[in-house]
Amino acid sequence: EAGVTQFPSHSVIEKGQTVTLRCDPISGHDNLYWYRRVMGKEIKFLLHFVKESKQDESGMPNNRFLAERTGGTYSTLKVQPAELEDSGVYFCASSLREGDNEQFFGPGTRLTVL
Amino acid sequence: GDSVTQMEGPVTLSEEAFLTINCTYTATGYPSLFWYVQYPGEGLQLLLKATKADDKGSNKGFEATYRKETTSFHLEKGSVQVSDSAVYFCARGRRASKIIFGSGTRLSIRP
């Protein structure tokens, strides 16, 4: 079975541009999470979807970030307009609704804003 | 708020050396504790976990014990291999909720 996939693996954009990151969770996983690691620091939580609903978006840094999960399958994270401090690695994770809720992580998208 | 503190790296060891990476957490409630690992070019993988005090998580020769009295979850391995070179993250979490990570420790093993 395929794991969590993320696209693209790398993105290099200029300040002020828009970037959209995509995450495809493991099939059947209702929970979907976004995290990011900036400048080699700790990995920080951004938000949590349960199916298509935002369960917790307390980690979203500001209104330049917009996450969606239409239909409760894949999710997108849009950054508009991108700033230099948005550079980092963006991870997506998914877990089952029931059970021990182990979160399975994707390989991440490395975003570089110049 | 909730937090996780782990020893800063990078850590460089020779093959077959003993490894300890220290980790402490804030003691709000009774979280589950985790060690995640990121090998070069790959995503985060769960290495081991412990869900309650005195539990020991183990996998691939790595061990960590949930110590409530010292709020610690130190990662240990008796004999490291070159293939253990990676970034290790200590973390805490609850069911169906966000995971809080430490800053990561880069481990390099010399042949």
Side-chain angles (χ1 to χ4, degrees):
Chain A
E1 180 179 346
V4 177
T5 57
Q6 294 187 243
F7 182 83
S9 57
H10 293 85
S11 181
V12 181
I13 61 173
E14 294 190 351
K15 177 182 172 181
Q17 290 186 321
T18 298
V19 63
T20 300
L21 314 181
R22 172 170 170 145
C23 168
D24 286 78
I26 293 172
S27 178
H29 282 195
D30 287 342
N31 292 303
L32 188 149
Y33 306 83
W34 283 98
Y35 296 85
R36 74 172 179 177
R37 189 182 190 208
V38 174
M39 289 292 289
K41 296 184 179 178
E42 68 270 26
I43 299 169
K44 285 194 172 181
F45 166 81
L46 295 177
L47 88 159
H48 169 204
F49 284 100
V50 177
K51 295 187 178 179
E52 66 276 9
S53 299
K54 292 177 184 174
Q55 181 76 13
D56 179 359
E57 50 185 331
S58 61
M60 295 289 265
N62 53 60
N63 59 10
R64 295 186 293 104
F65 289 75
L66 175 63
E68 295 180 324
R69 194 183 181 195
T70 307
T73 54
Y74 72 90
S75 175
T76 57
L77 179 65
K78 180 189 287 187
V79 185
Q80 180 182 29
E83 298 289 344
L84 299 178
E85 64 264 25
D86 301 331
S87 296
V89 181
Y90 290 75
F91 293 101
C92 176
S94 70
S95 70
L96 287 167
R97 185 72 179 270
E98 304 299 330
D100 69 3
N101 301 130
E102 177 182 338
Q103 294 185 25
F104 295 85
F105 283 79
T109 293
R110 180 173 294 278
L111 174 65
T112 302
V113 182
L114 303 176
Chain B
D2 294 342
S3 65
V4 174
T5 303
Q6 63 182 102
M7 65 186 287
E8 292 190 16
V11 174
T12 302
L13 297 173
S14 297
E15 203 165 22
E16 299 184 3
F18 183 85
L19 168 71
T20 300
I21 301 178
N22 290 336
C23 171
T24 57
Y25 63 94
T26 53
T28 305
Y30 303 96
S32 295
L33 300 176
F34 311 95
W35 277 99
Y36 281 85
V37 59
Q38 185 178 22
Y39 297 104
E42 299 185 17
L44 282 169
Q45 300 174 27
L46 179 64
L47 179 61
L48 54 84
K49 68 178 180 181
T51 58
K52 61 183 187 296
D54 299 325
D55 267 2
K56 178 185 285 187
S58 61
N59 186 24
K60 299 182 180 181
F62 290 88
E63 293 182 340
T65 301
Y66 192 142
R67 301 286 189 199
K68 186 180 176 185
E69 64 276 12
T70 54
T71 62
S72 64
F73 193 56
H74 304 321
L75 182 68
E76 297 182 336
K77 185 173 185 180
S79 177
V80 293
Q81 306 300 312
V82 172
S83 57
D84 294 327
S85 298
V87 182
Y88 293 81
F89 296 89
C90 186
R92 57 168 285 165
R94 303 181 192 279
R95 282 177 66 87
S97 183
K98 63 186 177 186
I99 293 175
I100 296 171
F101 290 88
S103 56
T105 302
R106 181 174 297 278
L107 174 66
S108 297
I109 307 300
R110 294 188 300 252

